[in-house]
Amino acid sequence: MDDSRGEILDKIRRSRGWLPEAKTLAAALASGAGNHGLTAVELAQRFALEARKIDAEVFEDPTPEAALERLLGLLKDEHVLAWDLDHVDRGVLASASASLEFGKSSDRSRTSLGLTGCDMAIAETGSLVLVAGPGQNREASLICRTHVALVRPSDVVTDLAEALARVDSLGERRAHINIVSGPSRTADIEMTLTRGVHGPKRLVILVADWPRLNKGDA
Amino acid sequence: MSAQDTFVQRADEALADHDLGRSIRHVTGLLDQRRREASASVPDFEALKDRARSAKLGMLADLEGNLLRFEEKIKANGGHVHWAKDAEDANRIILGILEKSGAKKVVKSKSMATEEIELNHALEAAGVTPVETDLGEYVAQLKGDKPSHIILPIIHMTRQAVADTFNEKIGTHASPDVAQLVEIARKVLRKEFETADAGITGANFGVVDSGALCIVSNEGNARFVTSLPRLHIAVMGIEKLVADLDDLSVFLRVLARSATGQRLTVYSNLIWPGREANDQSGPREAHVVLLDNGRSDLLNSKAAEILACIRCGACLNICPIYKAVGGHAYGGTYPGPMGSILSPALGAKKGSELAGASTLCGACKDACPVKIDIPRMLQYYRTGEKFGKREGLVKGLSFYLFGLLASRPRVFGAFGRLLRTIAPTGNGWIKVGPWLPFGWTRHRTLKLPAKKTFIAQWKEKAGHG
């Protein structure tokens, strides 16, 4: 194995001169789309618009109370796998759903709805950035038929470049990050678009000024 | 599947299949149209492509240093790095890791690199069961078919063929209804994810400065493969590096737009191998296998530029040859224009005749998100160095003789006069070629030479005013 390493690196070192010159770019070309002077509210609206375009169901309720009511309606009769959220009181969640779990699902075949927040939301593409880690398991956004994500307008960033720049600042917290753009889809059979092949069939996004409670409050 | 051993034979077979032709034209046309629309929606997509190109060429210019930095980062994060010089080496390394962990069943997400090293054969030979989990790849695996497109592996199959495959191989009673077929795959593969001992993926990008892998998928299977099993192995070509997350954002933007016309792939997954301890819901162990398999030789050749390829498939969808014959005709792992450069260079070095499978129209270069000059490399391959000795000799000799003639006007004229006396002339068409005019007339007709040369006709007209 070490032999291969030496051999490969040696061959690379000996090769030279065949790559074409890269065009010298005048200034560092911006990787992102740019903000275009949008306010936070406008960014959040743009996010909602773009997320709808890629088949997410987005609701922008005017008050946190209205958003909570909508959320509890969605949870009714569902077996919920959730992140450890500060948006909503745990007791309220538990009373609304058929069952409520955190961390790993004890029975994946039964878990029907995943409830997450998001670390960032991207206005340009309508995407959610989900950082896996303590209290934020991977499975809630993956194994269920329905994924419900709670988004605050303050979560929204302009574009992918800005989101990834912020990912850099997470440092040691970075282990597994998902950028989710709409529900799972495939077009493998005759280019017929079908949702929910492996991941969630429905992605519901509730944008609101969610409160910041102490986590785990009962 | 085709057992023919030359491109021309396989292409003949594909051309005779009209259903196949119709479906390939339909799908590639749609994908190409979506790419155009998505490119047009970015204010300056050309500039974004320039940025991607310069980022990738910059990486390759110091590939040694970048690979070493990448390795160091992953090791510092607690991940394992392996180097494989060829397919055999890579398969040996992967089997070693699996054996050590006692893995018997492996789930895979779509990976061209593992196709290239024919990992599934090696796994099966060692008693390990590989399960492809990308819907198209899964169907192809069940049927025993090779993928025919790098983004949509089974564009050569109808929904009826998919239903027949499921009914025959996994005992379902499916009708040719796409939603129903997708639901069957979801159920069957979910069980596989949950019971697999290891997940094997490729990698779309390796991010040097943070030691991260980026894997994209629309279906979400790559997320399952990298999250549910206790062990994750990623096989990535040594050319897959990007400098940092800012460059990655550029590549993700051009990749999705060029591949399917999406702004971003549904799931863009960033994974830091070795950091699994941060996150109890992931695997416990992660390995990265860096695969050479001909890439370092390619770097030291006039076709080095092809290493900038990000496998979006845009050059397939726009290529008049690919659109006519589909992926299987190319015979190797990588079809289409990019494949005609990669297949003769990587691994088994198959398909030296593929440089001929092009009209050199240049559409692939225009469509390429990293502006790779594929036609230039195809021409280079055609010069004979890589094109196969016999073709090289015959073509070389023909052009040498032509050069002798064409640079001597009087000899050229005399030769023309000679041909006109012994060969038919006029307004008709040659439908069946004599021994000399090659295979041209097997699929085309050739216009008969005119009775008089252009110059003679010109002189007559000029003479009569």
Side-chain angles (χ1 to χ4, degrees):
Chain A
M1 195 176 86
D2 283 342
D3 290 354
S4 293
R5 181 179 187 272
E7 201 177 315
I8 294 166
L9 290 172
D10 204 47
K11 273 165 124 182
I12 294 172
R13 198 176 311 123
R14 275 187 281 119
S15 70
R16 58 179 144 266
W18 297 116
L19 286 168
E21 286 288 311
K23 192 170 176 181
T24 319
L25 300 171
L29 177 71
S31 43
N35 181 301
H36 308 300
L38 295 181
T39 64
V41 174
E42 286 165 337
L43 268 184
Q45 286 168 346
R46 171 87 197 275
F47 164 75
L49 179 77
E50 295 298 335
R52 281 189 193 107
K53 280 192 203 162
I54 49 174
D55 301 332
E57 299 166 42
V58 188
F59 299 95
E60 299 159 281
D61 282 308
T63 64
E65 291 74 23
L68 180 63
E69 199 164 317
R70 190 183 297 279
L71 172 63
L72 298 181
L74 286 167
L75 299 185
K76 194 173 178 315
D77 299 330
E78 300 281 359
H79 295 273
V80 180
L81 176 66
W83 277 11
D84 195 2
L85 294 166
D86 62 358
H87 304 60
V88 195
D89 184 273
R90 267 194 191 198
V92 175
L93 288 182
S95 63
S97 48
S99 74
L100 176 67
E101 286 183 292
F102 298 88
K104 269 192 177 175
S105 166
S106 57
D107 179 3
R108 291 199 188 99
S109 62
R110 201 180 59 149
T111 303
S112 56
L113 185 145
L115 176 64
T116 74
C118 76
D119 293 84
M120 281 173 265
I122 303 174
E124 186 206 4
T125 55
S127 315
L128 301 168
V129 181
L130 310 176
V131 180
Q136 305 196 160
N137 67 76
R138 304 177 186 201
E139 295 192 358
S141 63
L142 182 60
I143 63 166
C144 317
R145 292 271 168 183
T146 305
H147 170 204
V148 179
L150 310 184
V151 177
R152 297 185 177 101
S154 60
D155 296 329
V156 182
V157 299
T158 310
D159 55 31
L160 180 65
E162 188 185 343
L164 289 184
R166 292 195 187 189
V167 163
D168 252 345
S169 68
L170 291 172
E172 293 296 310
R173 258 190 79 203
R174 298 176 306 183
H176 187 95
I177 295 177
N178 262 296
I179 302 166
V180 176
S181 310
S184 159
R185 56 186 257 171
T186 184
D188 273 357
I189 304 174
E190 292 188 12
M191 281 288 275
T192 309
L193 181 67
T194 315
R195 285 185 213 125
V197 55
H198 290 304
K201 206 180 182 84
R202 266 181 94 194
L203 172 60
V204 185
I205 299 174
L206 305 182
V207 185
D209 276 312
W210 294 99
R212 288 176 196 278
L213 312 170
N214 291 324
K215 279 191 184 180
D217 267 6
Chain B
M1 197 173 40
S2 168
Q4 307 290 346
D5 53 0
T6 70
F7 174 79
V8 173
Q9 288 170 324
R10 290 186 300 260
D12 276 346
E13 199 175 81
L15 286 167
D17 185 341
H18 294 286
D19 289 339
L20 177 71
R22 202 164 26 244
S23 110
I24 293 169
R25 277 193 303 278
H26 169 67
V27 170
T28 53
L30 256 171
L31 284 172
D32 190 53
Q33 184 195 341
R34 288 186 189 161
R35 176 187 62 83
R36 285 164 199 266
E37 286 164 8
S39 316
S41 73
V42 179
D44 198 352
F45 197 65
E46 286 303 305
L48 203 63
K49 282 160 73 175
D50 280 332
R51 161 100 198 255
R53 178 178 171 81
S54 80
K56 202 75 196 183
L57 290 176
M59 269 288 104
L60 293 170
D62 179 23
L63 188 56
E64 185 193 9
N66 286 314
L67 281 168
L68 290 173
R69 278 187 285 278
F70 184 59
E71 179 190 38
E72 197 184 305
K73 271 285 171 192
I74 292 177
K75 283 188 166 168
N77 288 340
H80 304 271
V81 180
H82 310 263
W83 300 71
K85 65 179 172 191
D86 54 26
E88 199 190 328
D89 210 17
N91 289 331
R92 190 179 49 75
I93 290 166
I94 295 162
L95 284 171
I97 300 166
L98 294 174
E99 197 182 340
K100 214 170 151 190
S101 121
K104 283 287 159 204
K105 182 157 77 180
V106 164
V107 279
K108 291 179 68 205
S109 70
K110 188 164 64 168
S111 145
M112 299 307 293
T114 60
E115 287 281 337
E116 182 188 317
I117 61 174
E118 300 188 327
L119 175 64
N120 289 359
H121 287 297
L123 292 176
E124 279 161 4
V128 178
T129 311
V131 182
E132 295 288 350
T133 63
D134 171 89
L135 176 60
E137 296 271 344
Y138 174 63
V139 175
Q141 188 189 26
L142 282 181
K143 189 158 188 273
D145 248 4
K146 277 201 157 215
S148 64
H149 189 286
I150 62 171
I151 302 296
L152 294 163
I154 51 165
I155 61 174
H156 59 284
M157 285 174 76
T158 59
R159 61 188 75 192
Q160 182 65 55
V162 175
D164 292 345
T165 304
F166 279 176
N167 295 342
E168 186 190 327
K169 302 285 181 181
I170 53 175
T172 52
H173 302 282
S175 52
D177 171 72
V178 176
Q180 190 193 350
L181 295 168
V182 168
E183 187 58 31
I184 289 171
R186 179 182 171 107
K187 287 212 172 97
V188 174
L189 289 170
R190 183 62 69 92
K191 284 217 174 63
E192 303 285 8
F193 291 131
E194 292 183 342
T195 53
D197 307 303
I200 298 183
T201 66
N204 294 91
F205 303 100
V207 187
V208 171
D209 89 331
S210 58
L213 304 174
C214 180
I215 303 171
V216 303
S217 85
N218 275 317
E219 299 181 358
N221 57 319
R223 295 183 65 192
F224 278 98
V225 169
T226 58
S227 293
L228 263 46
R230 64 176 189 269
L231 172 68
H232 172 212
I233 304 172
V235 185
M236 73 179 256
I238 53 173
E239 84 284 17
K240 292 266 168 184
L241 300 180
V242 299
D244 51 29
L245 291 173
D246 195 47
D247 276 357
L248 178 69
S249 76
V250 174
F251 283 108
L252 289 177
R253 293 180 83 195
V254 296
L255 174 61
R257 283 177 167 87
S258 303
T260 56
Q262 290 166 280
R263 292 194 171 187
L264 278 180
T265 310
V266 173
Y267 302 114
S268 303
N269 224 349
L270 275 161
I271 297 167
W272 280 260
R275 288 264 186 79
E276 290 73 24
N278 284 17
D279 162 24
Q280 296 85 348
S281 53
R284 291 198 286 276
E285 195 181 322
H287 296 257
V288 177
V289 180
L290 296 170
L291 177 71
D292 183 339
N293 204 29
R295 287 165 175 80
S296 57
D297 292 328
L298 203 45
L299 186 67
N300 196 20
S301 82
K302 286 185 183 172
E305 191 187 347
I306 196 69
L307 292 172
C309 172
I310 58 171
R311 314 280 192 269
C312 67
C315 63
L316 278 57
N317 302 330
I318 204 168
C319 177
I321 306 294
Y322 182 90
K323 286 168 101 77
V325 301
H328 286 157
Y330 290 81
T333 304
Y334 302 97
M338 53 80 115
S340 299
I341 311 292
L342 283 173
S343 294
L346 299 185
K349 299 190 167 46
K350 283 183 286 195
S352 58
E353 81 277 21
L354 290 177
S358 165
T359 62
L360 298 180
C361 65
C364 47
K365 184 184 172 188
D366 290 340
C368 179
V370 270
K371 300 191 171 185
I372 298 175
D373 194 347
I374 296 174
R376 179 187 63 75
M377 289 182 280
L378 289 171
Q379 276 175 310
Y380 158 64
Y381 274 22
R382 283 184 182 192
T383 58
E385 233 175 293
K386 290 262 167 35
F387 197 34
K389 281 210 172 86
R390 197 180 61 83
E391 290 90 339
L393 200 67
V394 171
K395 286 217 162 67
L397 194 64
S398 314
F399 281 108
Y400 174 74
L401 290 174
F402 179 75
L404 279 184
L405 274 178
S407 57
R408 289 164 179 78
R410 294 172 71 173
V411 185
F412 190 81
F415 186 68
R417 278 193 296 281
L418 174 69
L419 278 187
R420 276 189 179 73
T421 54
I422 60 170
T425 53
N427 284 323
W429 296 86
I430 302 174
K431 295 213 170 90
V432 182
W435 62 272
L436 189 62
F438 19 91
W440 179 272
T441 52
R442 280 204 293 127
H443 300 293
R444 287 157 289 205
T445 51
L446 185 65
K447 202 155 183 4
L448 280 170
K451 281 198 169 62
K452 287 177 182 162
T453 65
F454 174 78
I455 291 175
Q457 292 181 45
W458 180 265
K459 275 184 180 156
E460 270 171 29
K461 294 222 164 172
H464 294 299

